[in-house]
Amino acid sequence: MTDHRLTNNRSSIPHSVWPAEWVRKAEKEAADSLGITLYELMLRAGDAAFRLARATWPEAQHWLVLCGHGNNGGDGYVVARLAKAEGIDVTLLALESEKPLPEEAACAREAWLNAGGEIHAPDAPWPQGVSLIVDGLLGTGLASAPRPAVSALIDRANADPAPILALDIPSGLLAETGATPGSVIIAQQTLTFIALKPGLLTGKARDVVGELQVNALGLESWLADKPAAIQRYDAATLVRWLTPRRATSHKGDNGRLLVIGGDHGTAGAIRLAGEAALRTGAGLVRVLTRQENIAALLTARPELMVQELTDESLAKGLEWADVVIIGPGLGQEKWGKRALQKVENSQKPMLWDADALNLLAFNPDKRQNRVITPHPGEAARLLNCDVAQIESDRLLAAHRLAKRYGGVVVLKGAGTLVASENGELAIVDAGNPGMATGGMGDVLSGIIGALLGQKLDLYDAACAGCVAHAAAADAVARRSGTRGMLASDLFTTLHLVVNPELNDVNHD
C-alpha cells in the first residue's frame, strides 16, 4: 500500500485554513448568497465523493457505506444512491437515534430509500467481500470521543482490508485540533468539503487522513474574499520568502550569527545549528562553546568561526552579531545559565531553543525580539501543564505560548505550528517521521536564525525556516526513506531547498 504520509502531493489543495466552527456557520450564508439550498450543497458533496471513489478505486464493486445521524451521514446517503445507480453493490449501515435527522440528511435518506436502497442497523452482520468503505459516521462537529456504538463501527472498519474514503474528516478526528480522544477511522483518502480545517493538518491527522483533497462545492468565489484565520505552508510557498540574491550581495548582507551552546558532551548540537545556518545562507557564523569543542568543530566545518565562551567573548559576540541563537547543547548548569542571563538583555533578534527553553520555564519573561521553538515536552514545561494537554489542542497551546512569552512561537511536531502574539497562525504542511531523531531541532534553530539574519522578520523567518527544514527532510526521505535519517543528512538537500528558483527541486 502506498504511504500517503510520505508521497502525498499537496500542491492541489488550498493554503487557506478556517476553523471548523466557522465553516459550519458560514455554510448557510454561502449557500444563501449563491441562491442554492443546503441540500444542494449536500448533493454536490456526495457527487464529488462518489466521483473521487470511482476514479481512485475503479475496480471496487461492493461498497460499504457507514452513515451517522447528521449531515455527514447525509453525504453518505448521497454517495450510496449514486453508487447504486451505477450498478455497484452497496451495503449501508446507519446509526440510530431518538432525535430526528437534520432536514438535508433526512431528504438524502429518503432519496436513498426511494431508489430501492436498504438501511441496516449498525450491529448487523458485517458484509463479506467489501472492496471500499465510505466513512460518513461523524463530521466536523465532534468534540469528544465517539460513543461506544460508533467506536465499534470504526474499529470494524479499520480491521477490514478494504480501503476507506472519509467524507469531510475521518470519524473520530477532531476538526479543530487534530486530536483523537477515542477510536478514529484510518482513511486512505479524505475528501473535505468547502474549506480546509486545522485538525486535518496537525496533531494525529497524518496518521489517519491519508491522501487529502478539498472540494469547495462551488463556493470558491464566495470564499475568495474571506480572510483565512490560518495559513497552510508547504515547500511550494518558499518562493514567497526566498528570492534570488542580487549579483552584488556580499557576506555582510546575509547576516552575522552568534550561536551559543555545546556544553560538555554536546558539541554535536552546536555544530548542527552552526552548519545549518551556513547551509541556509548566513553570511558569517560565530560559535561560542566549550574550549574542548573548538578543534573538533573547526575540523568538521572550517567555515565556522569558533571561540571559547567567556564573558569577554560573549560581550564582543553580542556586539558583533545581527542575530543570536542560544540553547543547542547549552545545558542547565552554571555555565549555560550565566550565558543566558547575559544574552537575555540583548535587543537583537534571537532564537531560544532546547535548554534555553528549559531555563526559561524556571524564569519566564516576555519579549518581542525572540523566536522560541519548543517541542511538546518543552511546551508543557513552559505552560506548567502536561504533554497530553498540549497535544489535545496544539493550536490553543501555540496561542497561549505566544501570549505568555511574546515574539513568535514554533510548536514542533507533525503539523508544526507557528504563532505570533498578534494572532497570526500557520501550519507547516511538510515533513515526515524520519525527523523524529536527535539533532533535528538544532538544525531548525540554525535555519531560522540564518533567515533572521537575511532580514526576514520573526514570523516570516519562523514560517520559512520550518518549511525549509521539513522540505529538506522530505527530499532526503524521497531519496533514501525515513528510517535511519540523521539530522546532518539534511545538509545534502537544504542548500537546494533554500534556492527554490532551481528547477522545482522541492518537488523532485
Side-chain angles (χ1 to χ4, degrees), residues 129-396:
V130 170
S131 47
L132 175 65
I133 298 173
V134 178
D135 165 34
L137 288 171
L138 301 171
T140 60
L142 184 70
S144 59
R147 53 194 176 88
V150 186
S151 293
L153 278 177
I154 290 173
D155 294 341
R156 291 177 77 182
N158 288 336
D160 196 289
I164 302 177
L165 167 63
L167 305 180
D168 211 11
I169 192 167
S171 294
L173 179 66
L174 304 192
E176 297 289 11
T177 66
T180 55
S183 295
V184 59
I185 284 286
I186 302 173
Q188 279 65 52
Q189 290 259 8
T190 296
L191 177 61
T192 200
F193 304 123
I194 301 179
L196 277 175
K197 297 88 181 174
L200 292 164
L201 301 170
T202 193
K204 296 295 185 181
R206 290 200 181 189
D207 284 338
V208 302
V209 167
E211 185 171 347
L212 177 62
Q213 299 196 42
V214 183
N215 192 304
L217 308 183
L219 304 183
E220 293 89 345
S221 60
W222 184 85
L223 283 170
D225 60 355
K226 304 293 186 296
I230 306 166
Q231 289 296 309
R232 180 187 73 88
Y233 290 135
D234 58 12
T237 56
L238 283 172
V239 294
R240 67 177 288 159
W241 301 294
L242 304 178
T243 57
R245 288 179 169 175
R246 293 180 293 105
T248 57
S249 64
H250 56 82
K251 59 181 180 284
D253 295 329
N254 300 320
R256 298 186 298 270
L257 266 66
L258 184 67
V259 187
I260 304 163
D263 200 356
H264 298 300
T266 58
I270 205 67
R271 181 264 170 104
L272 288 168
E275 181 163 352
L278 289 172
R279 291 291 187 183
T280 310
L284 294 167
V285 179
R286 179 179 295 178
V287 174
L288 298 183
T289 186
R290 288 284 190 183
Q291 173 71 36
E292 68 200 52
N293 299 333
I294 294 176
L297 290 177
L298 288 174
T299 301
R301 182 50 57 209
E303 294 87 350
L304 293 170
M305 298 180 288
V306 188
Q307 294 177 289
E308 182 182 6
L309 173 61
T310 64
D311 289 349
E312 181 181 4
S313 67
L314 181 55
K316 290 181 177 178
L318 289 172
E319 182 179 356
W320 167 86
D322 299 315
V323 176
V324 179
I325 299 171
I326 188 166
L330 185 69
Q332 299 180 52
E333 303 303 322
K334 182 178 179 181
W335 183 82
K337 287 180 180 179
R338 183 176 179 85
L340 189 63
Q341 288 169 354
K342 294 183 179 300
V343 166
E344 64 186 4
N345 295 319
S346 174
Q347 298 304 308
K348 293 180 177 179
M350 59 178 64
L351 181 144
W352 291 24
D353 185 32
D355 283 319
L357 301 181
N358 293 324
L359 293 171
L360 178 62
F362 289 111
N363 295 289
D365 70 356
K366 186 174 183 178
R367 55 196 310 120
Q368 307 309 319
N369 63 324
R370 177 177 61 197
V371 177
I372 62 173
T373 56
H375 57 56
E378 291 160 345
R381 289 189 283 276
L382 288 166
L383 292 177
N384 193 29
C385 64
D386 59 38
V387 173
Q389 289 175 275
I390 298 295
E391 293 291 68
S392 69
D393 193 337
R394 287 169 51 80
L395 283 79
L396 176 62

Side-chain angles (χ1 to χ4, degrees), residues 463-480:
C463 290
C466 289
V467 172
H469 181 240
D474 286 344
V476 172
R478 285 192 292 271
R479 183 180 66 205
S480 52

Side-chain angles (χ1 to χ4, degrees), residues 62-66 89-93 112 118 120 125 127 130:
H62 185 182
W63 294 15
L64 173 62
V65 181
L66 306 177
D89 185 13
V90 179
T91 301
L92 188 147
L93 304 184
W112 163 247
E118 296 181 355
H120 300 277
V130 170

